């Protein structure tokens, strides 16, 4: 137990963490170019936020939340997603008083008590964006386009953008009635959860994970068939804007998304070949959510992209990410005095901006050189007592094993020249 992490969680180790840093930095850069600003909300929120925000009859709320009473008897939930918290922060901090729309992004861990498998974890990470304050169809296309841009910069293949409209509350009412009528005589065959959902929220049956529910809903009426003229026009315009920026998409009338807040545009970016969890990114409009959370009626739209699934895809498609820097130099030392001098030299060089590794175990010179090789450094400085007394050190070229003597005061200049020229 003490040496085992909780089921569905991962350690991100050195070697792997550099990939995360690269993906996060790229996300920040792309967001900057599109004018999105980072927001960091708490890891936990009042449970009520998700009950209201995500919806009481969703899988997330019914089965997957990490909820507990804190010591002050407050009902708390580890955030299962980032949209409701971002809406809460938008309202609490009166971000609506600033020029609109508000364009935000976040990167961080989310928690769902899901059944773990490849690409599905209990703690996972999302990069997400949210736009509040515009219902313009170009915003829908920009949000979808930003996700595609990000994924394309990583060189991913086999991506498919699926879009649909789930309509406005009026369309939803109409669709709900037709779904209830459609499932009426199949009620007994639905899974237990869906049987209970039929009257309250039959839309959820369409994205139930049970194979039987999926089979039963195969010919169910689509949201598109219940869309009112206004919603159809919005959907049409979103498509025109997507075409304008060269995004290929598939209209998938079966795409309904698993969270209750969606209105109008819903979309997912799927990738073939990473197994069952093929949705890399999911999102859509939620024009009623801000009002539902206590704000003035304000349109909203966003997406979230699963970082673990993204890394799985990158591995699967054998896309390598740029390597992070190896140390510029290793410092080896022989003897106690030299160890002390190497300690100071390492710190001085680090303060000058070099990446410096050294021996910390008083190993033999041979063992230190082995360590330097493991770090793949080009040069090692060797500090021996004799050379030090004369203010000198040995500089060893690791590839050719040649050594030259240089004075300590020259090291910085030398490194700057050599490393700049990448010699
Ligand atoms: P979601 O579809 O629940 O949407 O999650 C978005 C993405 O997070 C998924 O496509 C997937 O890549 C990743 N993801 C979800 N659950 C897991 C899991 N258990 N393990 C690993 N990855 C997972 C949302 O969360 C919405 N808040 C998206 C959104 C933002 N809609 C509008 N704005």
């Amino acid at each position: 137990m003490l040496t085992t992490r909780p089921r569905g969680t991962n350690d991100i180790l050195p070697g792997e963490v550099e990939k995360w840093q690269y993906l996060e930095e790229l996300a920040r850069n792309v967001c900057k170019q599109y004018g999105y600003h980072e927001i960091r909300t708490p890891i936990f929120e009042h449970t009520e936020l998700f009950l209201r925000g995500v919806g009481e009859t969703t899988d997330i709320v019914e089965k997957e939340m990490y909820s507990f009473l804190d010591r002050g008897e407050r009902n708390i939930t580890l955030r299962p997603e980032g949209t409701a918290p971002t809406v809460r922060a938008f309202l609490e901090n009166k971000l609506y008083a600033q020029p609109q729309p508000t364009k935000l992004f976040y990167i961080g861990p989310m928690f769902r008590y899901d059944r773990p498998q490849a690409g599905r974890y209990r703690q996972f990470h999302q990069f997400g964006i949210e736009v509040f304050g515009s219902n313009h169809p170009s915003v829908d296309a920009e949000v979808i386009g930003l996700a595609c841009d990000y994924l394309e910069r990583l060189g991913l293949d086999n991506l498919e953008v699926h879009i649909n409209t789930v309509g406005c509350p009026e369309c939803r009412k109409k669709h709900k009635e037709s779904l209830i009528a459609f499932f009426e005589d199949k009620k007994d065959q639905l899974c237990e959860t869906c049987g209970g959902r039929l009257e309250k929220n039959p839309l959820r049956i369409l994205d139930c994970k049970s194979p039987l529910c999926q089979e039963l809903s195969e010919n169910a009426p689509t949201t598109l068939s219940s869309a009112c003229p206004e919603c159809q026009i919005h959907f049409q315009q979103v498509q025109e804007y997507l075409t304008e920026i060269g995004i290929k998409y598939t209209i998938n009338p079966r795409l309904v998304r698993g969270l209750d807040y969606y209105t109008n545009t819903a979309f997912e970016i799927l990738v073939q070949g990473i197994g069952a969890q093929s949705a890399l990114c999911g999102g859509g409009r939620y024009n009623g959510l801000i009002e539902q959370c206590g704000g003035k009626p304000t349109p909203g739209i966003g997406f979230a992209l699963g970082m673990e699934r993204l890394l799985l895809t990158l591995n699967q498609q054998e896309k390598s990410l740029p390597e992070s820097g190896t140390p510029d130099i290793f410092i080896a030392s022989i003897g106690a005095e030299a160890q002390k001098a190497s300690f100071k030299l390492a710190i001085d060089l680090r303060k000058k901006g070099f990446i410096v590794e050294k021996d910390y175990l008083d190993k033999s010179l041979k063992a230190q050189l082995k360590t330097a090789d493991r770090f793949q450094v080009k040069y090692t400085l060797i500090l021996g007592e004799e050379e030090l007394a004369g203010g000198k050190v040995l500089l060893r070229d690791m590839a050719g094993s040649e050594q030259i003597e240089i004075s300590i005061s020259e090291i910085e200049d030398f490194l700057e020249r050599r490393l700049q020229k990448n010699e």
Side-chain angles (χ1 to χ4, degrees):
M1 201 67 175
L2 279 181
T3 53
T4 316
R5 58 183 186 265
R7 196 163 133 74
T9 65
N10 292 299
D11 296 313
I12 305 170
L13 301 176
E16 189 65 14
V17 87
E18 291 79 5
K19 295 182 188 164
W20 284 78
Q21 288 165 348
Y22 179 83
L23 295 178
E24 289 167 5
E25 197 186 318
L26 183 65
R28 290 196 167 88
N29 284 339
V30 173
C31 284
K32 202 172 179 181
Q33 289 170 346
Y34 283 76
Y36 288 70
H37 299 277
E38 183 166 359
I39 183 163
R40 301 186 188 192
T41 62
I43 298 289
F44 56 85
E45 297 273 356
H46 294 294
T47 301
E48 185 67 22
L49 175 67
F50 300 111
L51 298 186
R52 289 250 225 124
V54 174
E56 303 211 27
T57 47
T58 57
D59 273 0
I60 293 183
V61 168
E62 284 190 329
K63 305 179 194 163
E64 298 172 0
M65 293 209 301
Y66 278 92
S67 301
F68 56 95
L69 281 185
D70 73 5
R71 286 167 195 271
E73 306 273 299
R74 296 171 199 90
N75 215 321
I76 295 293
T77 293
L78 300 186
R79 61 181 188 193
E81 60 102 49
T83 309
T86 308
V87 166
R88 197 258 321 126
F90 171 77
L91 294 174
E92 186 167 351
N93 299 289
K94 300 189 175 54
L95 300 185
Y96 48 77
Q98 296 171 10
Q100 294 300 296
T102 299
K103 305 202 298 183
L104 302 167
F105 77 93
Y106 49 85
I107 303 172
M110 307 291 161
F111 305 85
R112 294 185 195 175
Y113 193 80
D114 227 329
R115 207 160 38 81
Q117 52 176 273
R120 197 202 278 162
Y121 309 99
R122 291 185 175 167
Q123 175 174 330
F124 59 98
H125 297 75
Q126 287 184 341
F127 154 40
I129 73 169
E130 312 291 348
V131 186
F132 305 137
S134 170
N135 191 37
H136 200 278
S138 68
V139 177
D140 304 44
E142 179 177 293
V143 166
I144 298 171
L146 192 155
C148 293
D149 188 353
Y150 177 67
L151 296 171
E152 276 161 19
R153 289 190 205 201
L154 293 165
L156 291 179
D157 309 313
N158 299 333
L159 296 179
E160 282 175 20
V161 179
H162 285 202
I163 61 170
N164 190 21
T165 178
V166 295
C168 63
E170 282 308 307
C171 314
R172 291 281 281 268
K173 215 191 291 165
K174 201 169 129 200
H175 186 234
K176 182 176 167 182
E177 281 161 15
S178 50
L179 280 181
I180 293 176
F182 175 82
F183 283 113
E184 196 62 72
D185 58 345
K186 303 175 185 63
K187 196 173 172 179
D188 298 342
Q189 299 170 65
L190 293 168
C191 76
E192 204 182 318
T193 322
C194 285
R197 281 165 170 173
L198 182 57
E199 296 299 322
K200 276 198 254 166
N201 194 354
L203 190 71
R204 290 281 69 87
I205 302 171
L206 303 186
D207 67 343
C208 176
K209 288 169 192 152
S210 135
L212 189 57
C213 291
Q214 283 178 9
E215 198 185 311
L216 288 172
S217 51
E218 219 146 74
N219 297 314
T222 64
T223 47
L224 192 53
S225 62
S226 302
C228 67
E230 214 177 304
C231 289
Q232 295 210 16
I233 290 171
H234 184 89
F235 191 46
Q236 187 58 41
Q237 287 171 334
V238 172
Q239 293 172 52
E240 285 164 19
Y241 274 101
L242 284 175
T243 306
E244 197 63 29
I245 53 171
I247 291 181
K248 296 204 174 62
Y249 57 85
T250 305
I251 297 175
N252 177 356
R254 313 198 55 77
L255 176 70
V256 292
R257 309 272 305 128
L259 301 93
D260 271 351
Y261 46 61
Y262 291 113
T263 58
N264 299 92
T265 313
F267 73 96
E268 279 183 357
I269 303 179
L270 309 168
V271 62
Q272 303 311 325
I274 60 161
Q277 306 307 311
S278 62
L280 266 191
C281 174
R285 262 203 180 279
Y286 42 83
N287 287 350
L289 179 60
I290 296 176
E291 192 179 4
Q292 218 167 299
C293 292
K296 289 206 182 107
T298 311
I301 179 166
F303 72 69
L305 201 151
M307 298 303 272
E308 283 81 359
R309 286 188 198 175
L310 177 56
L311 276 154
L312 269 178
T313 311
L314 285 162
N315 277 345
Q316 210 271 336
Q317 297 192 2
E318 294 176 4
K319 306 284 177 203
S320 57
L321 300 177
E323 299 263 319
S324 71
T326 47
D328 295 321
I329 192 127
F330 185 89
I331 306 182
S333 58
I334 314 157
E337 276 309 303
Q339 173 67 277
K340 211 184 241 168
S342 79
F343 177 66
K344 180 170 182 320
L345 183 59
I347 288 179
D348 285 347
L349 289 173
R350 286 167 183 156
K351 285 182 182 168
K352 297 267 159 48
F354 297 104
I355 308 172
V356 182
E357 267 303 341
K358 66 180 288 298
D359 166 67
Y360 295 97
L361 299 170
D362 286 333
K363 285 191 199 158
S364 70
L365 180 62
K366 196 171 157 209
Q368 291 185 54
L369 291 176
K370 229 180 183 172
T371 313
D373 265 335
R374 231 192 43 229
F375 279 118
Q376 296 180 326
V377 290
K378 286 211 170 95
Y379 300 103
T380 296
L381 288 174
I382 304 172
L383 276 64
E385 318 238 304
E386 216 173 279
E387 290 88 0
L388 270 180
K392 308 250 179 208
V393 296
L394 290 176
L395 181 101
R396 183 183 175 96
D397 181 333
M398 297 303 284
S401 304
E402 297 132 22
Q403 297 187 168
I404 54 165
E405 209 176 61
I406 62 169
S407 73
I408 292 185
S409 56
E410 281 171 357
I411 294 174
E412 197 187 320
D413 258 10
F414 177 87
L415 282 181
E416 216 135 71
R417 268 185 282 119
R418 286 290 167 107
L419 295 172
Q420 246 172 30
K421 277 197 259 160
N422 212 8
E423 280 178 31

